């Protein structure tokens, strides 16, 4: 066992060394690859490259031939943000080159394929203090899997960064957080505060994406991303309404949104890509189509309030896009917080009687299962039910957020809708006692729709409902059949789950 650990450690160190080439030594970050959809002939892609101000990016060439001219998206804090829009032919060995490096991309999603799903890429405290080989152990493993059998798509289900350190980015932000309610409401969001907050978000993205184990994957596997609260700050949208109405909180959200557009959508706020459903940009939910399946990610943060998860624009556009899915497509629906979860009303009732514990209320309000969102949760389940039962589509729910791995089913009219939860790829696992406590709540159960039960279940080959280990998820399509597998740190792969 000791020898095996030494070998694994050596492989990890070697991989980290090799992946250092993903970032050049001249201050350039990227390329970071983003999916824009594909058909049976062409894959549409975008690549983000960040260079020092005044420096032109290196040559970008597709299939060793055509040179792609970039669009300058923004100039922020001494850096240029460039986007390359390009297409690659559908092939297992499609490639592009940037500078002296060639990146192979498996663009063939027409038949058998492999998709990865990750979430919670960080932690609230001490995230960047950890040795990278430890922090990114599962990213290293993901790269190893990619070499064995390439991924064609990587879905990021939320908390791509943990930006909670934003509260320390400027003295006035530090002071504001400590003041009383009336002082908070009276305070302006000054230009100096805005610059510090926006710079923090953008620099933090680069600190995370620029880690060699992560940038290696982001350059070779096209990503689709949807944010969650830690991409803004912990509990965004679930705090008191007056807090979110303050000028400082609104200003911080606007900065987080601009950084999200640049670093997760590869765009700027006033030029949203076509995949964004709400053209006004009030909600940043999106849909992207591929041969035989569509990926949909509602935005559960932009319009969130203590009493609503999605908001008017998000609901309108999600329902509208579900009505136009191509026939026979499978739907992969990403909900950053799990749609199927334990009975939280009991916990909320207990916290209501314990003033000292009410600081955790926003964490519970983040969930669909909160008593504050019960009607909206039922509406969401009924919407899913209509698509599957009346529309005849197969649907799989993908979620992260809770720092453990689990799965669940929604049984309706003889059909099983699977929910797969993978969280987190780098967030440290919670204590086993925490997972057991969640399992007890899951055992109590919560069925909001009479006669159509939702149920949490252990992962294949496991006993407890929740697995307290860092993890990521893979989805495989072979022919008409789909299966899911979790990779659990220090445990290994789960057996196949047919979905």
């Amino acid at each position: 066992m000791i020898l095996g650990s030494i070998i694994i450690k050596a492989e990890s160190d070697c991989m980290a060394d090799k992946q250092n080439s993903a970032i050049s030594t001249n201050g350039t970050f990227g390329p970071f690859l983003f999916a824009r959809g594909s058909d049976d002939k062409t894959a549409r892609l975008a690549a983000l490259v960040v260079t020092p101000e005044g420096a032109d990016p290196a040559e970008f060439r597709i299939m060793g031939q055509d040179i792609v001219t970039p669009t300058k998206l923004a100039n922020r804090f001494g850096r240029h943000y460039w986007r390359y829009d390009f297409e690659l032919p559908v092939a297992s060995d499609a490639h592009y080159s940037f500078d002296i490096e060639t990146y192979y991309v498996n663009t063939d999603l027409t038949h058998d394929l492999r998709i990865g799903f990750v979430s919670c890429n960080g932690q609230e405290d001490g995230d960047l203090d950890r040795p990278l080989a430890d922090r990114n152990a599962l990213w290293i493993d993901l790269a190893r899997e990619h070499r064995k059998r390439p991924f064609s798509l990587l879905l990021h289900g939320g908390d791509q960064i943990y930006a909670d350190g934003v509260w320390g980015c400027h003295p006035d932000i530090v002071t504001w957080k400590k003041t009383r309610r009336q002082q908070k409401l009276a305070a302006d969001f000054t230009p100096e505060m805005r610059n510090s907050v926006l710079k923090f978000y953008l620099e933090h993205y680069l600190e995370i994406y620029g880690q060699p184990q992560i940038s290696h994957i982001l350059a070779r596997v096209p990503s689709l991303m949807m944010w969650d609260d830690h991409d803004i700050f912990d509990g965004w949208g679930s705090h008191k309404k007056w807090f979110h109405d303050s000028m400082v909180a609104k200003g911080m959200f606007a900065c987080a949104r601009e950084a999200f557009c640049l670093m997760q959508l590869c765009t700027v706020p006033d030029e949203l890509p076509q995949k964004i459903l709400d053209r006004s940009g009030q909600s940043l939910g999106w849909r992207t189509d591929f041969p035989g399946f569509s990926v949909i990610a509602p935005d559960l943060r932009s319009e969130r309030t203590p009493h609503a998860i999605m908001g008017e624009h998000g609901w309108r556009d999600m329902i509208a896009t579900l009505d136009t899915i191509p026939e026979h497509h499978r739907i992969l629906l990403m909900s950053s917080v799990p749609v199927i979860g334990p009975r939280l009303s009991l916990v909320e009732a207990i916290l209501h009687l314990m003033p000292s514990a009410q600081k955790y209320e926003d964490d519970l309000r983040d969930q669909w299962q909160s008593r504050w969102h019960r009607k909206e949760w039922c509406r969401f389940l009924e919407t899913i039910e209509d698509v599957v039962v009346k529309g005849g589509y197969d649907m799989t729910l993908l979620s992260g957020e809770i720092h453990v791995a689990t799965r669940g089913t929604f049984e309706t009219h003889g059909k099983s809708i699977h929910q797969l939860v993978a969280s987190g790829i780098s967030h440290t696992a919670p204590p086993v006692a925490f997972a057991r406590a969640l399992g007890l709540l899951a055992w109590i159960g919560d069925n909001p729709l009479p006669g159509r039960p939702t149920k949490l279940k252990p992962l294949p080959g496991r006993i407890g409902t929740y697995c307290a280990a860092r993890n990521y998820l893979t989805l495989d399509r072979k022919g008409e059949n789909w299966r899911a597998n979790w990779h659990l740190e220090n445990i290994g792969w789960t057996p196949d789950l047919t979905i």
Side-chain angles (χ1 to χ4, degrees):
M1 191 62 126
I2 295 175
L3 179 59
S5 299
I6 294 172
I7 293 172
I8 291 171
K9 177 65 166 59
E11 288 179 350
S12 298
D13 292 344
C14 180
M15 183 174 295
D17 291 341
K18 289 180 180 178
Q19 291 170 0
N20 282 332
S21 62
I23 299 176
S24 67
T25 57
N26 61 2
T28 295
F29 291 81
F32 309 125
L33 202 57
F34 296 87
R36 295 294 198 235
S38 69
D39 53 31
D40 60 351
K41 293 184 177 61
T42 303
R44 298 177 296 280
L45 302 161
L48 178 68
V49 170
V50 184
T51 65
E53 187 175 17
D56 291 329
E59 183 179 271
F60 192 108
R61 196 180 285 268
I62 56 174
M63 302 298 288
Q65 299 178 1
D66 297 337
I67 295 176
V68 181
T69 302
T71 299
K72 185 187 292 184
L73 293 176
N75 181 13
R76 298 286 185 272
F77 311 109
R79 300 188 194 276
H80 290 317
Y81 292 75
W82 306 88
R83 184 182 69 217
Y84 295 83
D85 295 299
F86 65 105
E87 296 181 346
L88 287 176
V90 167
S92 60
D93 60 350
H95 58 274
Y96 69 95
S97 60
F98 178 72
D99 200 0
I100 61 173
E101 184 91 18
T102 297
Y103 302 92
Y104 284 87
V105 185
N106 185 2
T107 58
D108 189 355
L109 292 90
T110 57
H111 301 291
D112 296 350
L113 59 85
R114 195 181 198 196
I115 298 171
F117 177 87
V118 301
S119 72
C120 299
N121 182 31
Q123 61 186 33
E124 293 85 343
D125 300 309
D127 182 29
L128 298 177
D129 296 333
R130 297 179 285 173
L132 290 187
D134 173 53
R135 184 199 186 278
N136 295 329
L138 291 187
W139 285 100
I140 293 171
D141 192 83
L142 197 66
R144 190 179 295 125
E145 285 297 314
H146 181 63
R147 289 201 307 275
K148 292 178 183 176
R149 193 156 57 86
F151 294 98
S152 294
L153 195 61
L154 185 62
L155 308 179
H156 304 248
D159 297 340
Q160 277 65 263
I161 62 170
Y162 275 65
D164 305 280
V166 69
W167 291 109
C169 73
H170 190 277
D172 290 344
I173 297 290
V174 175
T175 299
W176 184 88
K177 192 178 183 184
K178 296 177 181 178
T179 60
R180 296 181 180 274
R181 173 175 173 174
Q182 292 304 316
Q183 293 171 297
K184 281 185 169 71
L185 290 172
D188 288 328
F189 190 61
T190 65
E192 293 77 16
M193 294 164 76
R194 181 189 183 278
N195 285 340
S196 293
V197 170
L198 181 58
K199 182 178 181 180
F200 173 86
Y201 282 123
L202 292 174
E203 292 296 315
H204 197 60
Y205 272 110
L206 292 177
E207 283 183 299
I208 300 302
Y209 288 14
Q211 293 173 9
Q213 302 88 353
I214 298 175
S215 60
H216 177 86
I217 289 291
L218 297 186
R220 292 164 173 83
V221 184
S223 290
L224 287 172
M225 301 180 174
M226 177 48 69
W227 64 352
D228 201 29
D229 60 330
H230 288 286
D231 299 293
I232 308 163
F233 54 75
D234 186 23
W236 171 261
S238 296
H239 299 288
K240 301 294 185 183
K241 186 176 184 302
W242 66 262
F243 174 90
H244 294 293
D245 286 342
S246 67
M247 295 302 294
V248 171
K250 286 181 177 179
M252 293 176 73
F253 172 77
C255 291
R257 182 177 181 275
E258 181 175 343
F260 168 72
C261 287
L262 274 171
M263 301 303 298
Q264 297 199 41
L265 299 179
C266 196
T267 191
V268 287
D270 56 352
E271 294 181 7
L272 297 175
Q274 284 303 307
K275 71 174 186 174
I276 300 297
L277 303 175
D278 175 20
R279 302 314 300 166
S280 74
Q282 296 296 308
S283 172
L284 296 172
W286 50 256
R287 166 182 149 193
T288 308
D289 293 333
F290 301 93
F293 70 100
S294 299
V295 186
I296 299 174
D299 179 358
L300 307 188
R301 290 296 166 181
S302 290
E303 297 181 281
R304 182 185 280 259
T305 71
H307 297 283
I309 290 180
M310 282 178 57
E312 175 187 351
H313 295 81
W315 270 108
R316 178 199 66 197
D317 294 316
M318 187 188 75
I319 291 173
T321 202
L322 286 170
D323 285 339
T324 60
I325 299 295
E327 191 175 3
H328 304 307
H329 266 214
R330 174 178 286 266
I331 300 171
L332 303 180
L333 181 62
M334 290 169 52
S335 171
S336 55
V337 294
V339 181
I340 299 169
R343 189 171 182 176
L344 296 179
S345 57
L346 294 176
V347 181
E348 290 177 313
I350 294 171
L351 290 184
H352 185 70
L353 301 174
M354 300 169 59
S356 63
Q358 289 177 16
K359 62 183 179 179
Y360 301 110
E361 184 180 28
D362 63 292
D363 294 314
L364 295 174
R365 283 206 187 196
D366 272 353
Q367 307 302 315
W368 284 107
Q369 294 77 35
S370 169
R371 59 185 174 136
W372 300 100
H373 303 311
R374 193 169 186 86
K375 288 185 179 179
E376 191 176 10
W377 181 31
C378 291
R379 183 185 180 190
F380 198 82
L381 290 170
E382 288 170 340
T383 300
I384 292 169
E385 181 180 52
D386 284 345
V387 173
V388 171
V389 175
K390 296 179 181 178
Y393 291 95
D394 290 322
M395 179 184 289
T396 304
L397 308 175
L398 304 172
S399 297
E401 205 270 343
I402 57 176
H403 308 154
V404 290
T406 188
R407 70 183 183 98
T409 56
F410 173 28
E411 306 291 344
T412 173
H413 299 277
K415 293 194 173 186
S416 294
I417 302 170
H418 290 271
Q419 174 184 269
L420 316 176
V421 178
S423 171
I425 191 166
S426 68
H427 194 288
T428 50
V432 173
F434 173 81
R436 288 174 178 168
L438 281 180
L440 177 60
L441 290 173
W443 178 78
I444 295 171
D446 195 356
N447 296 318
L449 302 181
R452 293 101 86 197
T454 63
K455 187 174 182 180
L456 287 160
K457 300 179 178 180
L459 301 183
R462 304 292 298 171
I463 297 175
T465 302
Y466 293 93
C467 182
R470 295 197 297 185
N471 61 89
Y472 64 85
L473 175 75
T474 63
L475 303 174
D476 287 86
R477 182 181 68 188
K478 288 194 174 183
E480 300 289 323
N481 301 315
W482 288 74
R483 75 166 191 255
N485 301 89
W486 284 260
H487 186 271
L488 308 170
E489 187 176 29
N490 299 322
I491 297 172
W493 285 98
T494 63
D496 294 348
L497 174 67
T498 300
I499 56 174

